[in-house]
Amino acid sequence: MGDLLINLLASVIAGTAVWLAGFLRRRRKLNRARAFFGLTPGASCLLVASRHASSPREFSVHRRDVAALVELATFVRECGAYADRVGEDQPTGEIGRLTEFCVGGPGGASPRSVTHVRAILRGVTYEAFDEEKRRLSFTVGDTEYVFSQETSYVLLARFWGPVGKRPVFFIGGLTAGSNLAGARYLATHHPQLARAYGADRPFALVLRIIEPAAYGTDFTELVADVTDAAFTSTKSARGA
């Protein structure tokens, strides 16, 4: 009987140690995610999405942008925070008051994205779709990223306003499908991004979506870290 009790006690201690180790790993992972996104338990954050460019309805959002918002809201909820959807023309308050996820490039219908690019992402230029040339692109520094049937691109960036506080995550794709790819990349790769950039360093990354018509967002890859160029204004040199 004594040996049985000792064995049971040893099993309980071992099981408790395994559970505790797993709990601590999950807690550290959660705390790193919260720090990376600037989220705290019970806090709110903002989800800002472009209006559907081809829809006449004021509050219409492209279905793939809706899917991107769902991806973002899911991991926000996992961090114990709450996501508030904000229309592109609705006031969001000063930058940095709440963590913000801004979905949609300025080439679409997002005044909020236009403001972020003009004020902070000064080395980035989005070109409006040219019907004659059938051309859609954005430029970071001296490099242009052009949409084609085989390839699309999205700029994924994190930055802060002048007073710091909470970060803005900018997901500016050339298409709504590119926005979804950027949101899924952020949701999947934020642990690696946290290791690379910590909780307090801005970054700007160009992601490439390969064969989006065939693969959707499944084949998304990192093309370049354009952090230095994205936050350095070259627009005056271009005459912008």
Side-chain angles (χ1 to χ4, degrees), residues 112-185:
R112 186 71 171 174
S113 294
V114 171
T115 301
H116 287 327
V117 171
R118 182 176 63 239
I120 299 175
L121 293 166
R122 298 179 181 180
V124 179
T125 302
Y126 280 78
E127 300 296 335
F129 182 67
D130 188 319
E131 287 285 355
E132 182 178 344
K133 297 180 180 178
R134 308 296 295 174
R135 186 178 180 83
L136 184 63
S137 69
F138 64 78
T139 300
V140 185
D142 297 322
T143 304
E144 185 178 27
Y145 301 92
V146 183
F147 171 82
S148 70
Q149 293 301 314
E150 296 79 25
T151 308
S152 189
Y153 296 93
V154 57
L155 180 66
L156 172 62
R158 180 181 68 174
F159 52 83
W160 287 259
V163 296
K165 297 183 181 178
R166 304 299 182 185
V168 174
F169 289 86
F170 175 85
I171 303 173
L174 293 177
T175 65
S178 303
N179 295 336
L180 176 56
R184 286 179 172 168
Y185 187 93

